[in-house]
Amino acid sequence: MLSVHGERKILNHQKQAKLIKAGIFIDGKSFEPKENIHILIQNDKIQRISKAKKTVIPKNIEVSDLSDKTVMPGLIDAHMHFFGVPSLDVKEKFTETKESRILRALCEAGKMLKAGITSACCQGSSISPVLRKLIDVGYIKGPRIICAGEFICSTGGTWDYFDIPIDIVNKSGIFADGVDELRKKVRERIRQGANIIKIGLSKGHIYDSNHIWGDNPCMTVAAYSAEEVRAVVEEAHLNGLKVSAHCIGDISVQLALNNGIDLINHGYGINEETRNKILKTKKMIVSTISQIYFHIKAEKKYNYSLKRKEIYRIHWETMKRDFKKNIEKGIKYALGSDLVGYPTHPQDQFAKEFELAVKWGMKPMQAIISGTKNSAEAIGIDKITGTIEPNKAADIIAFKGNPLDDIKVLQNIDFVMKNGQVLYS
């Protein structure tokens, strides 16, 4: 802890200092909150964290008095998408102009930041590297973005829409088959600005209505061979990038575990043997409950077919079953929403993932850590952000209420700081 005199000395000798007075303080790594804490910030970094003292704060210091609020790290969505098209038909991304998609995504990014999402991982979209650059240079407000660029998909694989002519899908650069093509595709993604690689390892059966997710999550098939997966992992790791995989069902999760995949997305439709292997290998799963939740919420208003509703119900029940079993087993989760945009899947509603995780068995603080510290670790930015501690970026949010009593208070953010700059208050 910093003494009163130590705190005053730093305040007097460093320029552009800011002080946050926190009523309830959650640092993102401890399982118990603290009360009446001061957070000292210099430029974009957290400098000191100390108990509040009766001290005179110099007039030239910017003070954010949040003593009536809970203060915690900014939310980190470990899996979402900036497709830049209406969520009702994401296949428009193959035909809509890049300029139109970027403009739509810029608005979505701003809404996310206002909702307290200070970092996010776009796990598949060709426009995400451009969006990241626009945010990084300060042209627009948005979360810190980790991005995969376009998906990497086998022909007939996870994100290959059979009802669209193959020449149209092929223009997106999504396809890669065989070891040599996959190595080259990873290099292309890096050149395009990706700082994580996303590959699809599971797909529906050839007769399934839902090709991406599969009609039954326990009966999906593999989209790549082990040799192909290893080639992607080796090439990405040579360049210091993580590989994230779409995995629904035992076959794809085992494929990921056996061949060096860093991050398992979805991770349900699995048996006990696979569950034990996830625990043994200490791999993290990204949750994505919100994707199915918002489909079920939208089905009446947007006239989903009976078959489509049935498929989402099967996924919902299977995901819930395996989430609960995984939590009981001690498997580590990062929280990700898999939200793709308005009108049905608004990316700024990531806080719903915390509520759903708690409903399905997480303790409130466990969910908070999963959606801050663990999410940062999952997407490779844990040395930068994810917790409130010295030398990390000052990505901080605040709100009324105590999330340990009611996790839903995360859905009403009053204060957002990113990189030490107060953006909303």
Side-chain angles (χ1 to χ4, degrees):
M1 290 294 180
L2 184 69
S3 69
V4 180
H5 299 295
E7 184 175 273
R8 290 189 68 182
K9 182 178 179 180
I10 290 173
L11 290 174
N12 283 326
H13 287 84
Q14 291 188 358
K15 295 180 180 180
Q16 300 178 347
K18 297 181 177 71
L19 186 74
I20 291 177
K21 296 180 177 180
I24 298 172
F25 173 69
I26 295 172
D27 62 13
K29 60 179 183 176
S30 308
F31 278 90
E32 293 296 330
K34 298 176 182 177
E35 294 185 355
N36 300 319
I37 295 294
H38 283 180
I39 306 166
L40 182 64
I41 297 156
Q42 179 70 31
N43 298 322
D44 61 346
K45 298 286 181 67
I46 297 161
Q47 292 294 313
R48 296 287 188 274
I49 299 166
S50 62
K51 289 184 176 180
K53 303 286 185 178
K54 290 184 178 180
T55 182
V56 177
I57 299 171
K59 292 181 180 180
N60 62 332
I61 300 305
E62 181 182 327
V63 177
S64 295
D65 188 352
L66 306 175
S67 54
D68 61 339
K69 293 179 171 62
T70 296
V71 174
M72 62 173 271
L75 308 181
I76 302 178
D77 190 341
H79 183 150
M80 50 74 60
H81 299 276
F82 288 113
F83 290 146
V85 296
S87 61
L88 290 171
D89 191 1
V90 297
K91 289 179 282 188
E92 287 185 21
K93 67 181 182 170
F94 293 116
T95 55
E96 185 57 86
T97 66
K98 185 175 183 179
E99 292 80 7
S100 173
R101 292 176 61 203
I102 290 172
L103 285 172
R104 185 183 182 99
L106 293 178
C107 294
E108 293 168 342
K111 290 177 181 179
M112 289 176 67
L113 186 60
K114 194 170 185 180
I117 305 161
T118 54
S119 297
C121 185
C122 181
Q123 293 213 25
S125 171
S126 60
I127 63 172
S128 58
V130 176
L131 191 65
R132 187 188 71 194
K133 288 178 183 177
L134 292 172
I135 292 171
D136 286 350
V137 298
Y139 287 145
I140 59 157
K141 292 180 181 179
R144 176 183 290 100
I145 294 177
I146 300 299
C147 62
E150 186 57 272
F151 299 117
I152 296 178
C153 173
S154 57
T155 303
T158 309
W159 302 285
D160 185 1
Y161 294 92
F162 290 180
D163 56 342
I164 299 178
I166 193 167
D167 59 325
I168 293 177
V169 180
N170 197 36
K171 286 178 182 177
S172 70
I174 196 172
F175 293 135
D177 301 293
V179 167
D180 291 342
E181 281 190 20
L182 283 161
R183 285 190 180 277
K184 184 176 181 180
K185 192 62 67 174
V186 171
R187 293 168 186 170
E188 288 177 0
R189 292 290 177 266
I190 293 168
R191 191 178 190 281
Q192 292 159 359
N195 49 8
I196 193 169
I197 298 298
K198 178 66 178 295
I199 185 171
L201 296 191
S202 65
K203 61 180 181 178
H205 189 275
I206 190 170
Y207 298 114
D208 282 359
S209 298
N210 190 321
H211 181 69
I212 298 175
W213 293 72
D215 291 1
N216 186 328
C218 298
M219 299 178 68
T220 56
V221 296
Y224 276 114
S225 69
E227 183 183 26
E228 289 173 312
V229 176
R230 285 196 297 273
V232 171
V233 171
E234 287 171 6
E235 193 62 40
H237 288 181
L238 277 174
N239 289 277
L241 270 61
K242 289 190 171 190
V243 181
S244 179
H246 171 101
C247 299
I248 297 174
D250 266 315
I251 291 175
S252 62
V253 174
Q254 288 280 358
L255 191 60
L257 294 172
N258 293 336
N259 295 285
I261 292 291
D262 300 293
L263 192 57
I264 296 170
N265 294 273
H266 316 301
Y268 62 94
I270 60 176
N271 61 28
E272 204 61 26
E273 179 187 349
T274 301
R275 207 179 326 278
N276 287 332
K277 193 165 187 177
I278 295 170
L279 185 65
K280 184 178 179 180
T281 56
K282 299 181 180 179
K283 294 294 183 182
M284 205 181 309
I285 298 177
V286 182
S287 55
T288 71
I289 309 170
S290 296
Q291 167 68 218
I292 307 299
Y293 169 84
F294 279 100
H295 271 303
I296 293 172
K297 185 179 178 181
E299 63 186 20
K300 183 176 181 180
K301 182 176 181 180
Y302 294 100
N303 300 312
Y304 283 30
S305 68
L306 184 62
K307 179 64 175 178
R308 193 179 182 193
K309 288 190 283 188
E310 177 187 321
I311 290 169
Y312 288 130
R313 285 296 192 284
I314 293 170
H315 277 268
W316 178 259
E317 292 302 325
T318 307
M319 182 186 280
K320 178 164 65 173
R321 178 201 71 190
D322 286 333
F323 185 91
K324 289 182 175 183
K325 286 184 177 181
N326 291 347
I327 292 299
E328 290 172 2
K329 180 72 71 173
I331 290 171
K332 192 174 181 179
Y333 270 89
L335 295 192
S337 67
D338 202 6
L339 295 176
V340 302
Y342 282 81
T344 60
H345 287 68
Q347 298 102 324
D348 58 329
Q349 300 300 304
F350 171 51
K352 175 61 75 171
E353 191 78 16
F354 292 76
E355 178 189 346
L356 295 168
V358 169
K359 281 185 177 179
W360 283 6
M362 277 191 178
K363 300 293 185 184
M365 188 64 89
Q366 184 183 9
I368 289 170
I369 292 172
S370 296
T372 54
K373 179 179 181 291
N374 289 2
S375 286
E377 180 185 340
I379 62 177
I381 57 173
D382 49 308
K383 288 181 170 57
I384 300 169
T385 189
T387 56
I388 300 178
E389 54 185 316
N391 298 319
K392 286 196 174 181
D395 296 346
I396 296 170
I397 61 173
F399 45 86
K400 292 275 191 180
N402 187 338
L404 304 185
D405 297 329
D406 181 8
I407 197 70
K408 292 192 293 296
V409 298
L410 291 179
Q411 297 169 29
N412 294 287
I413 304 300
D414 298 322
F415 174 95
V416 179
M417 172 183 279
K418 179 191 167 193
N419 280 333
Q421 300 300 311
V422 178
L423 301 174
Y424 301 101
S425 62

